[in-house]
Amino acid sequence: QAKQGSARLHGAPHCLAPGAAAAMGSGASKRKPWERSFHLTSNVEDDRGERYLQVFPVWTIAITRNQRQLAAATSDNRINLWCLVTQSLLIPLVGHSDTVWKLAYSPDDLYLASASSDGTVRLWEVGTGMPVMTMPRHHANWVVSLAWSPDGTRFATGTLAVWNAESCMLDIRLMGHIGAINCCAVSPANEELIATGGEDHTVRLWDLADIDPGSVEAKKSREKAAGLNLAHYSLKGHTGGVTAVRFLGDGRLIASCSKDCEVRLWIPNLSNPTLCAKFPAHEAWVRDLQWTTDQKMLYTAASDGMIFAWEVPKKYHASPWQLEKALAYPERRQPVDRFLWDAASAVEAAYRVKDAVAEARNAG
């Protein structure tokens, strides 16, 4: 099954840059697909508001499931919490001593986890911005990624390595990218479908159904650092390293962003994946992107210090029943989840008792 190939644009509209004028004689003006809606930034403006005196590149962003809050990690080692209802800055979270590379809200939107080059993972309370805990330091170097665990059975890291989450054993190691893999994502519609983005400017689609973890090939891949060159699709078009890939909530699209300042939208059809749309998103490297739960907005963040909100075409919006299902907070059933939440509550309670004792002593 030969899957190696290049995705091409077949009759899909090429999106105009934000603010581009419509053609003369086109009649009543219509909103274009993937049009920019608004922006957020912590950059410092001059007195006239004509240019930025100081730019704070945004490394990563995260959005709550309820779509009310966005967290952004910037180059000053801060995490800015933004209200998406009023589009205003709520509070900066300060504590990391080096670059924050990854942010992730807990599945119930109560906590925000952050991973940093200072070797720590920190937990913050979303409602107040208060620090809850700093995880015990088990990393000798940078912590560049993290994820809260849904009820999944496998997860992917690195080369591409696919792990069995129940046994903690390596299932298979895959190769294909030329150079480093920068990002990966698992389809919410098909757990066997994985997308990766690399420094070789490509997005690649892997179908894990093509390989049995118990096969001889899978066993050999686990023994080799390079891994197995499993047949896969190579989606070409970016002219810079791919920095993030994200599946739409229902899996119908993949969004990819790159150092070429562009965002590309792909249809991840395993029979014939194609390019759906593309547009220039920023004036600098696009570092991260996130879909909203209702699938109506796509947020991008870049080294220019800007966070842009892009309107998703209506045909990709979540249906009412999809949205109701997506907004439902998961039950805490996993032992790891219970331990994490109980530990967080205990530490938070300990902090409050400590503060109360300190206040009592000062009063006495």
Side-chain angles (χ1 to χ4, degrees):
Q1 184 180 8
K3 289 188 176 179
Q4 193 92 12
S6 172
R8 294 287 183 252
L9 181 62
H10 298 296
H14 180 103
C15 296
L16 298 175
M24 293 296 291
S26 60
S29 62
K30 296 181 180 180
R31 296 187 71 83
K32 303 175 183 65
W34 309 103
E35 185 168 351
R36 194 171 75 194
S37 177
F38 63 89
H39 74 272
L40 307 171
T41 185
S42 58
N43 292 347
V44 180
E45 294 182 335
D46 63 12
D47 294 337
R48 298 182 179 180
E50 296 177 349
R51 64 188 183 92
Y52 292 118
L53 299 176
Q54 192 169 9
V55 173
F56 297 101
V58 182
W59 303 132
T60 184
I61 57 175
I63 300 173
T64 54
R65 184 189 295 258
N66 63 21
Q67 308 171 134
R68 295 177 182 175
Q69 190 180 106
L70 179 147
T74 51
S75 60
D76 54 358
N77 307 334
R78 295 189 175 200
I79 302 167
N80 291 318
L81 298 186
W82 295 89
C83 175
L84 293 180
V85 178
T86 61
Q87 300 168 23
S88 59
L89 180 64
L90 295 171
I91 189 174
L93 308 183
V94 180
H96 283 292
S97 60
D98 209 335
T99 305
V100 177
W101 291 116
K102 186 68 176 179
L103 298 170
Y105 283 100
S106 61
D108 60 5
D109 287 345
L110 291 179
Y111 296 94
L112 175 70
S114 56
S116 169
S117 294
D118 63 13
T120 67
V121 174
R122 293 173 181 259
L123 206 60
W124 313 83
E125 190 176 64
V126 170
T128 64
M130 294 295 293
V132 175
M133 67 160 47
T134 301
M135 302 298 181
R137 184 166 180 167
H138 291 299
H139 295 279
N141 213 323
W142 295 5
V143 185
V144 296
S145 188
L146 58 86
W148 292 87
S149 59
D151 293 332
T153 58
R154 292 195 292 186
F155 61 94
T157 64
T159 333
L160 170 80
V162 182
W163 299 81
N164 185 306
E166 294 178 350
S167 66
C168 297
M169 300 295 289
L170 180 64
D171 271 356
I172 186 173
R173 190 185 300 277
L174 304 176
M175 64 172 291
H177 283 280
I178 302 171
I181 295 178
N182 294 330
C183 49
C184 67
V186 180
S187 170
N190 177 7
E191 63 182 11
E192 303 290 340
L193 177 60
I194 292 181
T196 55
E199 279 298 313
D200 58 2
H201 308 176
T202 67
V203 175
R204 300 188 184 230
L205 294 181
W206 312 80
D207 187 359
L208 298 185
D210 289 344
I211 183 71
D212 182 355
S215 66
V216 175
E217 292 83 358
K219 182 179 179 180
K220 290 181 179 179
S221 78
R222 295 192 289 267
E223 297 171 351
K224 297 191 302 182
L228 172 68
N229 190 6
L230 183 70
H232 61 278
Y233 287 106
S234 179
L235 310 182
K236 299 179 181 178
H238 282 297
T239 58
V242 178
T243 52
V245 290
R246 308 282 184 198
F247 281 93
L248 187 64
D250 58 15
R252 285 185 291 167
L253 292 176
I254 303 174
S256 62
C257 60
S258 167
K259 296 177 182 178
D260 63 9
C261 310
E262 281 194 346
V263 167
R264 289 177 176 251
L265 292 308
W266 313 86
I267 298 175
N269 186 323
L270 284 175
S271 299
N272 183 30
T274 55
L275 181 65
C276 169
K278 62 178 181 178
F279 56 89
H282 291 262
E283 296 180 354
W285 291 6
V286 187
R287 308 291 310 207
D288 201 3
L289 45 76
Q290 294 282 353
W291 301 95
T292 54
T293 308
D294 60 13
Q295 304 179 180
K296 293 182 179 180
M297 303 291 283
L298 175 67
Y299 286 83
T300 59
S303 299
D304 56 11
M306 307 298 290
I307 300 168
F308 290 144
W310 307 88
E311 296 181 2
V312 177
K314 190 173 182 179
K315 63 181 178 179
Y316 294 115
H317 293 180
S319 65
W321 70 268
Q322 285 177 321
L323 184 58
E324 183 180 1
K325 182 180 178 181
L327 288 174
Y329 291 125
E331 296 181 13
R332 301 172 190 167
R333 294 179 179 176
Q334 295 292 334
V336 172
D337 287 340
R338 287 201 298 271
F339 175 78
L340 176 61
W341 295 115
D342 291 345
S345 301
V347 171
E348 183 180 14
Y351 281 152
R352 289 175 178 171
V353 171
K354 182 180 179 181
D355 292 341
V357 171
E359 290 179 4
R361 286 177 176 174
N362 292 335

